[in-house]
Amino acid sequence: MNTAIMIIVVLVGIGAFFGVVLALADKKFAMEVNPLIQEVEEVLPKGQCGACGFAGCAKYAEAVVEQEDVPPDLCVPGKAAVAAKVAELTGKKAGASVPRYAHLKCRGTRTAAVMAARYEGVPDCAAAKLVQGGPKGCKYGCIGFGNCVRACPFGALSMGEDGLPVVDKSICTGCGKCVSTCPQALLVLQTFDAPVQVECSSHDKGPAARKLCKNACIGCGLCMRSCTHGAIRLDRFVAVVDTEKCRDCEEPVCLEKCPTKAISQMISVRAAEKTA
């Protein structure tokens, strides 16, 4: 037997020896997994969105079973039904769940927004923003390359024909994955009971904002002065709705007062109850 073959035989023998040792060690020191953790994980939606504050469904299942201070209602996508099931399995009490959906605060469509430049780089919102704030004239608006769509683990977002993302409220779980992905911070988690929302985020002064986008809020304050609930204020030339104060308004006057129609009526509570 020549030297090369002997070396190979010795290496194979050493490898086999350590393989057996590792296998025996793994069997000896293996920790028994609590079967309840697997039961809890099976009822979770498996979106791996991280809205619960943990790195995926498996980690949350482990924490809610083994840690007393971790509540059973942290799974935002699962809503009340999953919270109740996790509470039942863990013997914990679930709190009230408030359904939410992602809402885009921009109406800078292809026909409404002015394009300031032609972007030919990577079709990514964050990358496009690095080039002079993006191709649109309004540097506060949706860049439109669909980072939020790709980030949604539940397929609730799609790109519309007008160049803006569209949210399917019947699918959206309110996990917030798209919110953290948008480099323009245009997506917010909206409750189903707020009657109206301003669909603009521009902080340009009125004339400049209107010049860059036909649908822009011009900060005129008509909506704020007409609101009987005191739910609207101006923040650097754009109207902002306080969703805690904007409640039970059957005929929002602000919708009629807005000259650019930058305020839109949201989904009703009854519709929300159907999607819960």
Side-chain angles (χ1 to χ4, degrees):
M1 184 180 294
N2 59 41
T3 304
I5 296 176
M6 289 181 64
I7 293 175
I8 294 173
V9 171
V10 171
L11 291 176
V12 170
I14 292 173
F17 171 76
F18 280 107
V20 172
V21 171
L22 290 173
L24 292 174
D26 181 66
K27 184 176 181 180
K28 180 177 179 62
F29 296 105
M31 296 180 63
E32 185 177 347
V33 179
N34 188 338
L36 182 57
I37 295 176
Q38 186 175 357
E39 288 186 54
V40 172
E41 186 181 358
E42 287 177 355
V43 304
L44 299 176
K46 307 297 190 301
Q48 315 301 343
C49 61
C52 59
F54 294 89
C57 298
K59 288 295 183 182
Y60 173 55
E62 181 180 345
V64 75
V65 170
E66 297 184 343
Q67 300 177 33
E68 291 187 6
D69 59 336
V70 177
D73 54 0
L74 294 185
C75 181
V76 178
K79 302 181 181 179
V82 169
K85 187 63 178 177
V86 175
E88 179 185 344
L89 290 170
T90 59
K92 296 180 178 180
K93 184 177 180 180
S97 178
V98 180
R100 297 176 184 271
Y101 65 92
H103 174 69
L104 181 71
K105 297 185 67 176
C106 176
R107 285 201 301 146
T109 63
R110 290 194 181 100
T111 56
V114 173
M115 301 301 290
R118 183 177 178 180
Y119 176 75
E120 296 183 346
V122 179
D124 179 271
C125 298
K129 186 176 181 178
L130 295 176
V131 184
Q132 298 182 344
K136 287 184 177 178
C138 175
K139 301 308 175 183
Y140 302 95
C142 176
I143 297 175
F145 286 116
N147 287 31
C148 55
V149 175
R150 293 188 292 274
C152 180
F154 301 100
L157 279 85
S158 60
M159 288 304 299
E161 295 180 357
D162 57 3
L164 297 179
V166 177
V167 180
D168 186 336
K169 299 179 180 69
S170 65
I171 299 177
C172 181
T173 63
C175 72
K177 194 77 172 180
C178 59
V179 175
S180 60
T181 301
C182 178
Q184 297 288 74
L186 293 175
L187 286 156
V188 296
L189 293 182
Q190 175 80 48
T191 58
F192 284 91
D193 51 4
V196 301
Q197 183 59 276
V198 179
E199 296 193 320
C200 179
S201 300
S202 173
H203 292 293
D204 289 326
K205 291 184 178 180
R210 187 64 185 273
K211 183 179 179 180
L212 296 174
C213 181
K214 297 177 182 178
N215 297 329
C217 171
I218 58 177
C220 64
L222 288 175
C223 57
M224 180 181 66
R225 293 190 289 273
S226 66
C227 180
T228 56
H229 298 276
I232 303 178
R233 60 183 175 86
L234 290 181
D235 177 21
R236 293 175 294 161
F237 312 110
V238 65
V240 178
V241 177
D242 185 338
T243 55
E244 294 299 319
K245 295 180 180 179
C246 184
R247 306 278 181 174
D248 302 322
C249 191
E250 296 182 359
E251 297 181 3
V253 182
C254 58
L255 295 174
E256 301 176 1
K257 295 293 183 180
C258 180
T260 62
K261 305 304 178 185
I263 303 179
S264 296
Q265 191 162 20
M266 297 291 97
I267 192 168
S268 67
V269 178
R270 292 183 181 87
E273 291 173 347
K274 294 180 180 179
T275 61

